Amino acid sequence: MTVKIAVLGAGSWGTILANLLVENGHQVELWGNDPKKVAEINEQHTNTHYLPDFKIDPQLHATIDLNVALDQVDVVLFVIPTQAIRAVAEQIVPVMIAKKVKPVIVTASKGLEQGTHKRISEVLTEAIPETNRNGIVVLSGPSHAEDVAQKDITTLTAASSDLIQAQWIQEIFMNDYFRLYTNPDVVGVEMGAALKNVIALGAGALNGLGYGDNTKAALMTRGLAEISRLGVAMGANPLTFIGLSGVGDLIVTGTSVHSRNWRAGNALGKGQKLADVLANMGMVVEGVATCKAAYELAQQRSVDMPITRAIYNVLYEDCDIKTEIVYLMRRSGKPEIDFDEV
């Protein structure tokens, strides 16, 4: 079965997923907004800014023209920064109408929209009318583009309220090294995907400060408790958070030098200023914007998230990291297993 897929976003993850789909035998158009990078992909079969050592399959074609990307398309895969999702989704609607296509919309981006605090699937639902799409599927799980580029064994979750569409996307992506599972809990999968980036910032900061494995394990475990608590308050299945899009994604993002959120936190722990860290990263650090959204969302829903609050204080209130750690450690004692307490 060969399908036509438009991958929106020519960063590292978008490029690798597009390349994988080509290797799986599908027709893929990789859309990017930088003419130089698009030309490099088509002419040199590289994307050196994001993937310095990776050779792209020559059959993968890139374009800056949405009319080309969306022509006769069956699937549209969003792999762009969270804060750009709404604008690009609104941009493709008239093109899809003109092309008379009604694709399945898939997102592999992770985050919460600032201001609205909406999950990405909610943004897509609002921006793309139901008459112009054939379901929405969320891809999430422990996955670094660099590892998938090396064909390292990787497993993700395809989440959707329409399991028929999730199973179809599962079939499109699976191969010898890339395996998908399905899950109807879209809320849980998206909340796990978004909030683990916040905890990864903290894990990186602890590394930068010189803390050891005990400390990092404590942060990630209690961070997962916070993620679960807010997710459950929003209607998620708590079991989702011990799955691929919960603890799985948290492990890989909170421990790996490939994680831009971990690297940003590590730089903060070493004393660098946030503005300098973001300027030097060269890629979007989703956890920074998501932290603000999660902090505000937790306040609105009266969910106590002390680790998230501490990271917010460091990022947005210019608080000292070590002072925040002391505050976390010296809070009154709490039971471990209680969704109403910390």
Side-chain angles (χ1 to χ4, degrees):
M1 175 187 63
T2 300
V3 299
K4 169 71 182 295
I5 303 166
V7 178
L8 307 183
S12 56
W13 193 218
T15 301
I16 290 301
L17 288 178
N19 194 81
L20 178 148
L21 290 165
V22 167
E23 290 181 343
N24 284 3
H26 302 298
Q27 182 184 353
V28 183
E29 289 285 346
L30 177 60
W31 176 81
N33 59 5
D34 185 330
K36 290 184 179 179
K37 288 187 175 66
V38 166
E40 179 191 348
I41 292 169
N42 289 331
E43 296 168 10
Q44 306 299 322
H45 310 302
T46 58
N47 190 348
T48 52
H49 179 76
Y50 294 106
L51 299 160
D53 302 317
F54 184 70
K55 197 68 175 179
I56 295 169
D57 192 309
Q59 295 184 71
L60 175 59
H61 183 260
T63 181
I64 59 170
D65 188 346
L66 284 172
N67 287 284
V68 173
L70 298 174
D71 187 42
Q72 301 182 57
V73 74
D74 302 299
V75 176
V76 175
L77 172 61
F78 282 79
V79 200
I80 58 179
T82 301
Q83 307 312 319
I85 292 280
R86 188 179 296 273
V88 174
E90 292 173 346
Q91 189 178 354
I92 71 171
V93 171
V95 181
M96 292 193 300
I97 293 173
K99 294 291 183 180
K100 298 181 180 180
V101 293
K102 188 178 179 181
V104 175
I105 306 297
V106 183
T107 171
S109 301
K110 302 174 181 179
L112 298 173
E113 187 178 50
Q114 287 211 54
T116 68
H117 309 140
K118 291 184 183 296
R119 294 175 284 107
I120 292 174
S121 68
E122 293 178 302
V123 174
L124 292 170
T125 298
E126 291 180 355
I128 303 174
E130 190 172 2
T131 53
N132 302 118
R133 54 180 163 81
N134 193 13
I136 295 176
V137 179
V138 176
L139 287 188
S140 185
S143 50
H144 287 312
E146 296 85 352
D147 288 343
V148 179
Q150 298 299 318
K151 298 188 177 180
D152 199 18
I153 289 175
T154 303
T155 56
L156 273 70
T157 295
S160 179
S161 58
D162 185 343
L163 282 181
I164 298 299
Q165 297 294 6
Q167 289 165 356
W168 186 57
I169 295 302
Q170 180 184 46
E171 183 180 350
I172 289 170
F173 275 88
M174 290 219 310
N175 59 31
D176 290 348
Y177 62 93
F178 202 79
R179 180 174 176 80
L180 268 62
Y181 293 83
T182 60
N183 190 335
D185 181 19
V186 177
V187 175
V189 167
E190 287 192 290
M191 291 304 293
L195 298 181
K196 56 85 183 177
N197 286 331
V198 180
I199 304 305
L201 283 169
L206 291 179
N207 189 80
L209 287 164
Y211 285 97
D213 294 339
N214 290 359
T215 311
K216 297 166 192 173
L219 176 89
M220 292 172 63
T221 303
R222 296 311 301 163
L224 183 62
E226 289 192 11
I227 293 170
S228 304
R229 193 158 51 246
L230 182 58
V232 169
M234 296 177 66
N237 183 340
L239 292 177
T240 295
F241 299 106
I242 60 171
L244 291 168
S245 62
V247 67
D249 210 357
L250 179 59
I251 290 170
V252 77
T253 311
T255 62
S256 174
V257 295
H258 291 318
S259 164
R260 66 193 70 169
N261 292 282
W262 186 94
R263 295 202 309 272
N266 185 57
L268 290 171
K270 292 180 180 295
Q272 296 184 33
K273 295 296 185 183
L274 178 61
D276 295 332
V277 172
L278 298 179
N280 294 332
M281 189 63 61
M283 294 181 281
V284 174
V285 181
E286 289 282 9
V288 174
T290 299
C291 183
K292 185 173 188 294
Y295 171 78
E296 294 169 350
L297 191 59
Q299 286 191 314
Q300 289 175 3
R301 292 181 174 264
S302 299
V303 176
D304 195 15
M305 301 181 69
I307 296 172
T308 300
R309 182 170 61 246
I311 296 170
Y312 173 88
N313 287 341
V314 171
L315 296 177
Y316 292 97
E317 302 294 340
D318 200 28
C319 293
D320 179 69
I321 298 177
K322 292 182 179 179
T323 301
E324 291 298 316
I325 292 171
V326 171
Y327 169 76
L328 285 170
M329 293 302 295
R330 295 187 68 85
R331 290 172 303 132
S332 60
K334 308 285 185 181
E336 182 183 13
I337 309 298
D338 192 333
F339 277 106
D340 295 324
E341 296 290 346
V342 183

